[in-house]
Amino acid sequence: MTLNILVAFKIVPDETLIKISGDKVDLNVPVKISTYDKNAIEEGLELREKYGGKVIGISVGVNDRKTIREALAMGLDEVISITPKTYADALATAKLISEEAKGYDLLIFGESSTDGGDSAVGPMVGEILGYPVITYVRRVEIQDGFLVAERNLTPEVEEVKAKLPCVISVTGEANTPRIPTLKQIMESGKKKVVAKEVEIASSSRLVNLTPYFVPRKKVIIEGKLEEQVQKVVEILRGNL
Amino acid sequence: MIVVYSTDQEKFKKLSGFAQTLSDEVIGVAPFRDNHVKKLIVAKTEDLAVETISEQRPSLVLLSEGKREVTVGARVAARLNAPFSSSCNSLKVEGGKVVVERLGFGGVVKATVELSTPAVVVIQPPDSESREFETEIHEYEGKGKMEILNTKRQTSTVNLQSAKVIVSVGRGIGGKENVKYAEELAQVLNAALAGSRPVTAELKWLPEDRQVGLSGTKVRPKVYIAVGISGQPQHLAGMKDSGLVIAVNKDKNAPIVENADYTVIADAIEFCKAITEALKK
Ligand SMILES: Cc1cc2nc3c(=O)[nH]c(=O)nc-3n(C[C@H](O)[C@H](O)[C@H](O)COP(=O)(O)OP(=O)(O)OC[C@H]3O[C@@H](n4cnc5c(N)ncnc54)[C@H](O)[C@@H]3O)c2cc1C
C-alpha cells in the first residue's frame, strides 16, 4: 500500500540564541524548525521511500518563508501554513491541524517542541479525530494496514500495534534528519505552499516569562594538567 | 472534583496528597491498587485511563511527570475541550482559574500560565502529606484502540535525585569504552554517574535512567561535575539548581562555561584519570 502522510512541524525561536539580560528575556532571535519536528519530517520521508505515497507538512504559527522552504527542501511534497491571528495554545493548534488532517493514513509529530514543550498537540489531534495515539515512537513499520511501533517510555519500552489511520509522535532518537543539498534548497522554491490566516480562541494564556538563570562564578582553569587537577582537588575538598 | 493519575505508585501517593489540599473530592486513576484516595479506578492501559478520566467530568485533572502521563493528559484535555500544561512545578487556583508555573523554551525561561477550568496539568507536586483511606476500588474494563504486543521494564540503576555529588558525562567523553574513567572518578568521590541525552538515550553508553535534563531527571546535588558536556539549554534545565558546578571541556567557548563555577579546559579522559589518581592519595 502507499501511504498518505501528514507531518506537523513548528517554527520556533532558536532556544540556543535566546538572550537573557537581567530579568528580561529577548525572544526576538532567528527562528528554526523545532529540533524534534525534524525527526518527524525525516520519519515521514523514510516511510515514503519505503512504502510510496505522499508526505504533506503542516505548520501552525510563525510562517517564516525560509524555514518552510527548508522543510520542503528536506523532501516534503507540499506545506500547509496556518497563521492564527492571535496566540494559539496546544489545544487551539490541535483543532486547526485536525481540520486539515482528514484523509491521511498517518499523522506524524515530534515528541516535544523546543518552545512550549507540552508534548500535547499530537495526542490531542489523535483524540479529536478518534485515531489511535502512539507517542514516543523510536521504530515504526507498516504491516497490512496496521502500524507496529516501538515506544520509548523510559523506564519502559513497549511494542504496540494499531490499525491505520493513526497518530504517532517520534523521539529525537528515531532517526537522523537529513540535511538538504543546495540543489534541493533551490528546487524547493517551486513546491506548493498553501497559506491560510485563521481566527481561533485559546483557553490558556501566558501571563509572564522570566529568565531561569542561576548566576555562576565562570572561572576558567587553564594550564598544565597537574596544576589544573591540583586546583580542582582543592575546590572539591572545600565543598564536600 | 479532581482526578489524579499516575503510573508510579510513589508519585501517585504524593499527587493524591497534593490534590487533597485543593479539594475534598479526589478520584484516583492508576494501573495499580492504592489506598491514598477515597475512590480509585484501576485502568490498566493509556487508552482505558483516557476513557475513565474523561467520563468523570472533573474540573481539574492532575498527572505526575512521565511520558505516559503526558500522553494521557493531553488526550483527556482534548476530550474535555480543556487547556493543558505539562512540566509544571507549582499550581494555584485563583478566581476560578488555574495558574501554573513551568519551564519554557528548552528551560531558558520560567513561564506563568493561566488556564480556564476544566484544566489538565502535569505537575511535580510540592511535598504534602498523604492520608490512607478505606478505598472504594473499581476496575475499569474495556478494549483500547491499540494492542500492546509487549512491555519491557528496564531495572532502575540509580537514584539521581538523592545524590549529593554527580559526575555527568557528555558526548565529549568520546566513546562507551571511555565512560569507565568518569565512573572511576565517581567512585572515589562517592558520586552518582549520570549523562546527557545523547550519551544515554541515543548512544546507550549509559542506561537511560541516568539522563539529566529537561526530558530526563532534574537534579540538584551539592556538586555537579559535567565532563564533555556542551551545556545546551535542555541539559542545563536539569542541573541549574545544583550547588557547585564544575565543567571539563576542551572548548573555552562551550555554553557550559557561562553556566559553571569552574571550567577546566582539558581533555575529558586525561583529566578524569589524573584527578582520580590525585584524589586517591
Ligand atoms: C525537546 C528536547 C529535549 C531534550 N532533553 C535533553 C535532556 O533531558 N538532557 C540532555 O542532556 N539533552 C537534552 N536534549 C538535547 C540537547 O539539546 C543537546 O543536544 C545535548 O544536551 C548535547 O549533549 P552533549 O553535551 O553530551 O553533546 P554535545 O553537544 O555534542 O557536546 C559535547 C561537548 O564535549 C566537548 N568535547 C569534545 N571532545 C572533548 C574532549 N576530548 N574532552 C573534553 N571535552 C570534549 C565539546 O567541546 C562539547 O562541548 C534535548 C533536546 C530537545 C530538543
Side-chain angles (χ1 to χ4, degrees):
Chain A
M1 76 178 281
T2 61
L3 287 174
N4 241 331
I5 302 173
L6 185 70
V7 175
F9 66 94
K10 191 170 189 184
I11 301 174
V12 296
D14 186 338
E15 77 281 9
T16 62
L17 302 175
I18 294 173
K19 287 183 283 288
I20 301 288
S21 55
D23 57 359
K24 294 256 172 347
V25 181
D26 183 3
L27 295 176
N28 197 5
V29 297
V31 294
K32 63 170 192 179
I33 301 172
S34 181
T35 312
Y36 293 158
D37 290 353
K38 280 198 178 173
N39 297 88
I41 295 173
E42 178 64 31
E43 201 60 43
L45 299 175
E46 287 180 16
L47 288 169
R48 182 183 64 192
E49 279 154 15
K50 210 160 150 196
Y51 302 102
K54 273 201 152 72
V55 192
I56 310 296
I58 185 164
S59 188
V60 175
V62 179
N63 61 353
D64 182 66
R65 267 313 279 188
K66 199 163 151 257
T67 314
I68 291 173
R69 275 203 47 188
E70 187 190 343
L72 287 166
M74 280 179 77
L76 294 178
D77 293 298
E78 183 184 317
V79 166
I80 306 166
S81 162
I82 301 180
T83 314
K85 289 189 185 137
T86 47
Y87 168 74
D89 65 4
L91 185 60
T93 304
K95 286 176 184 170
L96 292 171
I97 293 176
S98 302
E99 279 172 26
E100 303 286 339
K102 282 153 206 144
Y104 292 95
D105 303 302
L106 183 61
L107 314 182
I108 310 180
F109 295 79
E111 69 167 78
S112 185
S113 72
T114 53
D115 56 351
D118 275 321
S119 305
V121 175
M124 284 174 167
V125 170
E127 212 52 46
I128 292 170
L129 298 174
Y131 293 175
V133 174
I134 305 166
T135 49
Y136 303 99
V137 168
R138 64 176 183 194
R139 198 168 48 74
V140 56
E141 240 174 79
I142 308 295
Q143 299 174 356
D144 306 318
F146 283 83
L147 177 130
V148 178
E150 187 178 275
R151 307 176 69 197
N152 185 10
L153 296 160
T154 349
E156 280 171 357
V157 175
E158 188 171 88
E159 211 194 353
V160 300
K161 185 174 174 182
K163 197 166 177 358
L164 296 175
C166 294
V167 166
I168 65 171
S169 78
V170 296
T171 68
E173 287 73 35
N175 54 47
T176 308
R178 66 195 64 189
I179 296 163
T181 61
L182 198 60
K183 185 160 170 273
Q184 286 167 320
I185 294 171
M186 302 289 287
E187 283 171 0
S188 67
K190 292 187 212 120
K191 290 186 176 177
K192 188 166 153 196
V193 178
V194 182
K196 292 184 188 174
E197 232 190 34
V198 296
E199 304 243 18
I200 184 105
S202 289
S203 45
S204 66
R205 183 172 76 87
L206 181 64
V207 179
N208 186 23
L209 274 187
T210 54
Y212 176 27
F213 177 72
V214 180
R216 294 286 170 192
K217 292 195 184 77
K218 302 185 209 173
V219 177
I220 290 184
I221 304 176
E222 287 179 289
K224 280 217 192 77
L225 187 63
E226 302 87 87
E227 289 162 15
Q228 290 174 314
V229 164
Q230 202 43 50
K231 275 197 189 130
V232 177
V233 168
E234 278 162 31
I235 295 162
L236 284 173
R237 296 233 155 101
N239 280 278
L240 290 178
Chain B
M1 180 252 295
I2 302 179
V3 172
V4 296
Y5 174 74
S6 179
T7 61
D8 178 288
Q9 203 127 21
E10 251 332 287
K11 291 182 185 168
F12 181 84
K13 180 176 153 189
K14 256 184 95 174
L15 198 62
S16 302
F18 174 63
Q20 276 143 20
T21 65
L22 299 169
S23 167
D24 295 334
E25 238 189 302
V26 177
I27 297 178
V29 176
F32 42 73
R33 290 172 162 254
D34 191 275
N35 61 354
H36 293 89
V37 282
K38 275 188 218 152
K39 183 177 169 189
L40 178 80
I41 303 166
V42 179
K44 289 275 192 299
T45 66
E46 282 169 37
D47 282 346
L48 296 181
V50 171
E51 292 293 334
T52 183
I53 297 170
S54 309
E55 279 171 15
Q56 309 305 314
R57 296 276 138 197
S59 53
L60 181 62
V61 181
L62 296 178
L63 306 98
S64 63
E65 291 268 13
K67 291 178 176 162
R68 281 193 202 279
E69 287 81 354
V70 168
T71 305
V72 167
R75 291 177 61 187
V76 167
R79 286 265 182 117
L80 299 176
N81 195 23
F84 173 78
S85 194
S86 63
S87 344
C88 299
N89 46 38
S90 89
L91 178 151
K92 282 181 302 195
V93 181
E94 275 177 6
K97 303 260 187 194
V98 174
V99 180
V100 295
E101 278 182 330
R102 50 163 308 167
L103 297 182
F105 293 99
V108 179
V109 304
K110 287 183 179 171
T112 309
V113 182
E114 186 186 84
L115 317 170
S116 62
T117 53
V120 182
V121 173
V122 177
I123 184 168
Q124 197 173 355
D127 280 322
S128 9
E129 242 169 276
S130 49
R131 291 197 286 141
E132 295 196 359
F133 295 91
E134 298 250 347
T135 307
E136 171 195 333
I137 297 182
H138 302 261
E139 296 270 347
Y140 191 84
E141 310 276 348
K143 227 175 128 250
K145 291 197 191 82
M146 66 177 167
E147 185 190 344
I148 296 160
L149 302 176
N150 74 68
T151 308
K152 275 186 236 122
R153 201 180 166 82
Q154 289 147 328
T155 43
S156 104
T157 64
V158 74
N159 183 349
L160 294 178
Q161 268 161 340
S162 64
K164 295 267 182 299
V165 183
I166 292 177
V167 174
S168 194
V169 293
R171 224 191 306 237
I173 197 81
K176 190 170 187 163
E177 67 285 1
N178 302 333
V179 172
K180 63 171 181 280
Y181 301 113
E183 193 174 0
E184 282 161 12
L185 171 58
Q187 265 162 15
V188 290
L189 288 171
N190 203 6
L193 185 64
S196 67
R197 177 159 170 162
V199 160
T200 52
E202 183 188 343
L203 301 162
K204 312 244 181 305
W205 296 347
L206 281 171
E208 280 192 52
D209 64 341
R210 292 181 185 254
Q211 180 188 323
V212 167
L214 191 66
S215 54
T217 305
K218 298 186 184 76
V219 299
R220 49 191 325 164
K222 263 185 91 173
V223 180
Y224 188 86
I225 307 178
V227 182
I229 291 177
S230 61
Q232 295 306 314
Q234 294 86 359
H235 186 82
L236 299 174
M239 48 64 76
K240 256 182 220 180
D241 293 325
S242 301
L244 182 80
V245 177
I246 301 175
V248 182
N249 204 301
K250 64 171 190 192
D251 177 9
K252 241 205 261 196
N253 297 314
I256 191 77
V257 176
E258 292 289 307
N259 293 279
D261 294 295
Y262 300 95
T263 302
V264 182
I265 309 300
D267 176 70
I269 298 168
E270 295 309 315
F271 180 81
C272 284
K273 281 189 197 164
I275 194 163
T276 305
E277 274 315 304
L279 285 165
K280 276 184 184 161
K281 280 182 207 143

